Amino acid sequence: MTKLSIEDLAAELIRKIEAGDIGNEQGKMPSERELLAIYPVSRYTLRQALNKLSKMGWIYQMQGRGSYIRFHNNQKPTIEQGDLGFNEDLTRGEKNIRTVKASKRLVKVSEALFLPSQKQFAKDQHFIEVQRFRTLDDKPYLIERSYYIPEIVGEISETMMEGSMFQALAEEKQLTVAFIDKFIQSKPLSQEQAAFFHLEEGMPALIVRDDSYLRNGELLAFSMIHYDYRMATLYMHKKLFV
Amino acid sequence: MTKLSIEDLAAELIRKIEAGDIGNEQGKMPSERELLAIYPVSRYTLRQALNKLSKMGWIYQMQGRGSYIRFHNNQKPTIEQGDLGFNEDLTRGEKNIRTVKASKRLVKVSEALFLPSQKQFAKDQHFIEVQRFRTLDDKPYLIERSYYIPEIVGEISETMMEGSMFQALAEEKQLTVAFIDKFIQSKPLSQEQAAFFHLEEGMPALIVRDDSYLRNGELLAFSMIHYDYRMATLYMHKKLFV
DNA sequence: AAGTGGTCTAGACCACGGG
DNA sequence: CCGTGGTCTAGACCACTTG
């Protein structure tokens, strides 16, 4: 129990909640005063950690009563393979996602099938277009089309295209995504898209459009993912009033 | 400029950003020290307000550089009528949503078409089922099916069913939603649903499933909304690392 | 009245970015 | 090096819930 930061404390509390090592039979957490007697942090640090937990949906806090664990007896929400956590939330567990087909090419602005909602580009701007067909547990799961800004990402190797692009960009090039604008829609599948999912043309797809930005506010990439509607559920916990 | 709270300060800053009354030509906000010289608050209060702005997507902050306004010259994201803000975010403006058809009845657990992801109910539990067909700018927009817990909401009047149910419940019965679990999917429309949208059976719908909870953690209602895929886009700003 | 979480202040030191 | 935002502490008072 040395040198607890907000992150550490939040992780520690989540660990205890998951293990059932904290809270009484009714799911009531120790009070803040009690927690402060356990963990050598200031109330500010504790409350930041608790706030993080409540934003993630692990607990809820009630003025005058205390903090309560959600899902203390019964299980966590039935998050299945294929479900997508939209906050850094209750979604856990490894996903067995693989890339079965990928292509990459340099395109001009005018050749992009869509553009980010904000940025204006010079006419001679180019993008690295990456298209990937990916499976979840060996079943067709998603089709992704992404455009990366070449001046920022540099070269994209074949190995990077196998797994998580953003994880690879973070590890290999210290390019960390700081915030994302997301647009969620549903549209009919084209014939080519439907073929990958073994569906018919015109059947639904769940579509997620992302514009990903670096810490310095620069656009890193923008993408569109079509999910097989039978396999994908986006999950979100929304805390109001904070 | 009297008695500024976090909420007040955040609102004030947003107002100034929208009016273009703050930030230099490059969209750089005054530094925290400078803002503290303007507003009579502690750094904690200021930073909570700034944090709120950055979670909403108004600004981004960069250690060592400063805070920057997004969309300072160009406009805000092209949020159109029908677009749904998923945080309390950049989405603004009035939506002209009307209920064109509504029905209400008391049903048993076994009659519900779906159930919340968590809660177990007694066999004799009843729900108030509300189904509403709603338009946006007089065009078919969504079909909503909600189940309210009668022991909590009491009576639901006809007038409540016209507008926002949660707003009515908050104003008339002091029932305030504190957090929501959301599940987003896409599925083919049934024939009846499709008819309302003037679409064909099997065409896509964007579906939002909500479980709404009160401050005390009690489930207030759960619902499912089918949106006309041509009109609905969910917008979300996601800030990482906080 | 007692105990809970919610808000706010004042101050310190740290980590990062850019001259 | 300086100025920036990021983290953390200690302490005070307020608002709400419950007995």
Side-chain angles (χ1 to χ4, degrees):
Chain A
M1 198 88 51
T2 65
K3 285 200 298 182
L4 279 180
S5 69
I6 295 173
E7 290 299 319
D8 298 335
L9 183 51
E12 166 78 2
L13 290 172
I14 290 175
R15 196 190 58 69
K16 286 212 175 185
I17 290 173
E18 282 193 300
D21 284 348
I22 198 169
N24 69 8
E25 300 74 25
Q26 287 74 45
K28 186 175 191 303
M29 293 269 290
S31 73
E32 293 184 356
R33 270 84 173 168
E34 289 170 329
L35 288 170
L36 287 175
I38 302 173
Y39 300 103
V41 297
S42 68
R43 188 161 173 229
Y44 170 85
T45 302
L46 172 64
R47 279 184 59 76
Q48 293 283 323
L50 289 175
N51 203 271
K52 183 164 180 165
L53 263 62
S54 71
K55 275 189 294 196
M56 289 196 281
W58 285 103
I59 64 171
Y60 59 91
Q61 292 168 285
M62 220 187 138
Q63 190 168 3
R65 289 241 319 244
S67 301
Y68 293 82
I69 301 169
R70 303 188 66 199
F71 332 124
H72 56 290
N73 276 333
N74 31 356
Q75 302 302 337
K76 289 188 291 181
T78 55
I79 302 288
E80 302 171 17
Q81 283 293 67
D83 289 0
L84 305 168
F86 245 40
N87 306 327
E88 27 166 8
D89 48 25
L90 302 174
T91 334
R92 288 288 181 89
E94 281 310 303
K95 297 194 206 308
N96 181 23
I97 295 185
R98 288 191 13 238
T99 302
V100 292
K101 192 174 134 193
S103 60
K104 182 184 68 169
R105 63 184 187 127
L106 200 65
V107 300
K108 290 182 288 190
V109 175
S110 56
E111 293 173 294
L113 300 186
F114 52 92
L115 288 173
S117 74
Q118 284 309 307
K119 178 133 176 145
Q120 306 294 331
F121 294 104
K123 280 219 174 69
D124 59 346
Q125 174 72 49
H126 283 70
F127 306 128
I128 303 172
E129 182 191 74
V130 173
Q131 189 176 21
R132 304 198 294 178
F133 296 78
R134 311 190 78 191
T135 59
L136 172 70
D137 296 336
D138 293 322
K139 294 191 292 278
Y141 180 48
L142 67 85
I143 302 171
E144 171 191 351
R145 194 183 292 265
S146 301
Y147 296 94
Y148 295 86
I149 314 297
E151 291 81 1
I152 298 181
V153 299
E155 277 296 312
I156 292 180
S157 65
E158 298 296 326
T159 54
M160 288 173 69
M161 290 171 64
E162 284 305 309
S164 163
M165 290 288 293
F166 286 141
Q167 191 176 322
L169 287 171
E171 291 170 0
E172 298 178 22
K173 314 199 181 193
Q174 279 71 48
L175 293 170
T176 312
V177 175
F179 54 91
I180 308 175
D181 284 326
K182 284 178 173 284
F183 305 87
I184 303 160
Q185 289 184 300
S186 175
K187 281 185 183 169
L189 286 166
S190 71
Q191 192 179 12
E192 186 205 359
Q193 294 164 338
F196 177 64
F197 295 133
H198 307 302
L199 285 170
E200 312 227 335
E201 181 179 355
M203 291 291 279
L206 183 63
I207 302 176
V208 179
R209 268 269 301 108
D210 279 6
D211 296 338
S212 302
Y213 294 86
L214 299 174
R215 290 196 131 89
N216 64 5
E218 271 193 304
L219 182 68
L220 170 68
F222 52 102
S223 67
M224 184 182 286
I225 301 182
H226 287 70
Y227 291 95
D228 184 328
Y229 78 91
R230 299 164 298 183
M231 299 180 68
T233 298
L234 311 184
Y235 168 68
M236 245 184 79
H237 179 77
K238 179 172 175 177
K239 185 192 176 194
L240 279 52
F241 305 117
V242 165
Chain B
M1 199 87 54
T2 65
K3 284 200 297 183
L4 279 181
S5 68
I6 294 174
E7 288 300 319
D8 298 334
L9 184 50
E12 166 78 3
L13 291 172
I14 289 176
R15 196 191 57 70
K16 285 212 175 183
I17 289 174
E18 282 193 300
D21 284 347
I22 198 168
N24 68 11
E25 299 73 25
Q26 287 73 46
K28 187 175 190 304
M29 294 267 290
S31 73
E32 294 184 357
R33 271 86 173 166
E34 289 169 329
L35 289 170
L36 288 175
I38 302 174
Y39 300 104
V41 297
S42 68
R43 188 162 173 229
Y44 170 84
T45 302
L46 171 64
R47 278 183 60 75
Q48 293 284 323
L50 290 174
N51 202 271
K52 183 164 180 165
L53 264 62
S54 71
K55 276 189 296 195
M56 289 196 283
W58 285 103
I59 64 171
Y60 59 92
Q61 292 170 284
M62 219 188 141
Q63 192 169 1
R65 289 239 323 241
S67 301
Y68 293 83
I69 301 169
R70 303 187 67 198
F71 331 125
H72 56 290
N73 276 334
N74 31 354
Q75 303 299 337
K76 288 187 291 181
T78 53
I79 303 290
E80 301 172 17
Q81 283 293 68
D83 288 0
L84 305 167
F86 246 39
N87 307 330
E88 26 164 8
D89 46 25
L90 302 175
T91 334
R92 287 289 183 90
E94 280 312 302
K95 296 197 204 312
N96 181 24
I97 295 184
R98 288 193 11 240
T99 301
V100 293
K101 194 174 135 193
S103 60
K104 181 184 69 168
R105 62 180 187 132
L106 199 65
V107 301
K108 290 182 289 190
V109 175
S110 55
E111 294 174 293
L113 300 186
F114 52 92
L115 289 173
S117 73
Q118 284 308 307
K119 177 131 176 146
Q120 305 295 331
F121 294 104
K123 279 217 175 70
D124 60 345
Q125 174 73 49
H126 284 71
F127 306 128
I128 302 172
E129 183 192 75
V130 173
Q131 188 175 22
R132 304 198 294 180
F133 295 78
R134 312 191 77 191
T135 58
L136 173 70
D137 295 336
D138 293 321
K139 294 191 292 277
Y141 180 47
L142 66 86
I143 301 171
E144 170 191 352
R145 194 184 293 265
S146 301
Y147 296 94
Y148 296 86
I149 314 297
E151 291 82 359
I152 298 182
V153 299
E155 276 297 313
I156 293 180
S157 64
E158 298 296 327
T159 54
M160 288 173 70
M161 291 171 64
E162 283 305 307
S164 164
M165 291 286 294
F166 287 140
Q167 191 177 322
L169 287 171
E171 290 171 1
E172 299 178 19
K173 315 199 181 194
Q174 279 71 48
L175 293 170
T176 313
V177 175
F179 53 91
I180 309 174
D181 284 326
K182 284 179 173 285
F183 305 87
I184 304 158
Q185 289 184 302
S186 176
K187 281 184 185 170
L189 287 166
S190 71
Q191 192 180 8
E192 186 206 359
Q193 294 165 338
F196 177 63
F197 295 133
H198 307 301
L199 285 170
E200 311 229 334
E201 181 179 354
M203 292 291 279
L206 183 63
I207 302 176
V208 179
R209 268 268 301 108
D210 278 6
D211 298 337
S212 301
Y213 295 85
L214 298 175
R215 290 198 133 88
N216 64 4
E218 273 193 304
L219 182 68
L220 170 68
F222 52 101
S223 67
M224 183 181 287
I225 301 182
H226 286 71
Y227 291 94
D228 185 326
Y229 78 90
R230 297 164 298 184
M231 298 181 69
T233 299
L234 311 184
Y235 169 68
M236 244 183 79
H237 179 77
K238 179 171 176 177
K239 184 190 177 195
L240 281 54
F241 307 118
V242 165

